[in-house]
Every structure is written in C-alpha cells, then in structure tokens.
Amino acid sequence: MEFEKHSKVSHPAPLVLDTMIEHMENIVPFLPSVEGIETLSREELSDTQLRIVRRWSGSADKAPSAIRPFLSPEVMSWTDTAVWTPAEYKVDWTLTTSMGELYKCSGSNYFEPHPDDPENATRMRVTGSLQVFPERLPGVPRFLGKRLAPQVEKFVVNLITPNLTDVAIGLQGYLDDKG
C-alpha cells in the first residue's frame, strides 16, 4: 500500500528540519500514540548525509480489541533508520521491528519551505509504502492471522501513517512551546 500525506508546520523549514534531526526525542509529549523515542546511533555518511537510527515505542491503547492480547511492547516498538540529506530538506527512512518481518515500511519525507509562506512555514510531505504480514504476529495461529489480516493491516496503517503525519502536529506544539 502506497501512501502520501501533506502537513503544514507554522515554523521555517530550516528550524523544523533541525528539530527533526537534533531534537526528535523532545516532541514525544506532543505525540499521542508514542510513548518514547531513543537515539541508538548517529553517523556522518558524507559531508551531505547523516544516518540516525532511533527506536520508537508505541501504545497499544488504540488497537482493535481482537488483536490487543497479542501486542507485546516488542510488537509495539519499531526502529527507524533515517538517512538525512539536509540540503535537500529530505530524509529516506525504513522502519523495522525486533520481532522479525511483521511488515515492510519505507519511504521519503520532505521538510520544504511552504509554497504559500516559504520564509515562515514548512510543508511536510510523508511518502512511503507499507506491506503487512499479520500471519507472522507471534502467538497468532496462521489461519487466524489470515482472518485478522484486514483488521491488522488497518490497525498498522492507522498506527504508522498517522504517527508519521502526527509528527507535524508534534513539531508544531514543541516549537510553539519553545517560543
């Protein structure tokens, strides 16, 4: 499943980009479905690129009741491997879990000066693709995984894609609070 979302942040693109790269953990209080973000590694790949690996911990509170018993903290956590290219206001990312291949999710995000107000606002574009494998969920029998597939895929899409776009709301709140 391919997806693309657009959001506006009422702060300049260089500030938004810097916040995403340097202060991502600080926006957690502004993200309703995220319990924590931890930076695992940071590596300069070249003069123009930087790789940051972060572990995200999500909340199962909004999961469908039928799958909630199968959602451990490990299932609700993912690793975000991001290659930042600041000069292009861009990040290429891949999400993985520690529980094996429950899904494949990757894409590119852009934090560009907003066309309507390039000096004071950012257009955040989230693009990506998601493929879910619910039959691989630990403890779920294969036949049940296939039956629950539509619910699981909808849940994962509703968990991952809003978290990606909710980052814009989190950024807005964090930067507004920061002044």
Side-chain angles (χ1 to χ4, degrees):
M1 163 186 287
E2 301 291 320
F3 59 88
E4 182 168 344
K5 306 281 185 180
H6 295 246
S7 303
K8 181 178 181 180
V9 180
S10 299
H11 292 276
L15 176 61
V16 169
L17 184 67
D18 181 68
T19 301
M20 290 293 295
I21 293 170
E22 303 297 338
H23 306 286
M24 177 64 81
E25 292 85 349
N26 295 339
I27 70 168
V28 169
F30 301 93
L31 300 173
S33 299
V34 176
E35 293 179 359
I37 302 172
E38 175 189 5
T39 298
L40 302 177
S41 68
R42 180 184 178 105
E43 175 186 6
E44 300 281 337
L45 299 177
S46 69
D47 289 343
T48 60
Q49 289 190 317
L50 170 70
R51 179 177 27 240
I52 300 176
V53 179
R54 292 182 170 117
R55 181 173 170 83
W56 293 60
S57 300
S59 171
D61 294 344
K62 296 180 182 175
S65 57
I67 65 170
R68 223 176 276 151
F70 303 105
L71 299 178
S72 66
E74 291 79 22
V75 171
M76 295 304 300
S77 296
W78 61 95
T79 301
D80 169 22
T81 301
V83 177
W84 295 88
T85 309
E88 297 176 17
Y89 295 97
K90 178 183 175 189
V91 60
D92 296 312
W93 52 268
T94 302
L95 303 182
T96 56
T97 72
S98 62
M99 301 297 295
E101 195 173 73
L102 297 176
Y103 59 81
K104 286 184 184 180
C105 191
S106 62
S108 298
N109 297 353
Y110 303 86
F111 305 88
E112 307 157 318
H114 199 284
D116 296 340
D117 190 3
E119 297 297 316
N120 301 305
T122 302
R123 177 177 62 189
M124 185 175 156
R125 289 189 299 132
V126 176
T127 66
S129 66
L130 171 69
Q131 184 178 7
V132 178
F133 307 108
E135 67 276 8
R136 296 178 183 169
L137 191 61
V140 177
R142 189 172 194 81
F143 78 92
L144 185 57
K146 295 229 183 250
R147 262 178 100 190
L148 291 174
Q151 282 185 307
V152 173
E153 182 163 304
K154 182 179 178 186
F155 168 65
V156 174
V157 168
N158 288 338
L159 176 67
I160 292 175
T161 56
N163 279 342
L164 295 171
T165 56
D166 281 354
V167 169
I169 296 166
L171 282 164
Q172 184 73 50
Y174 171 73
L175 292 171
D176 287 350
D177 270 11
K178 192 174 171 193

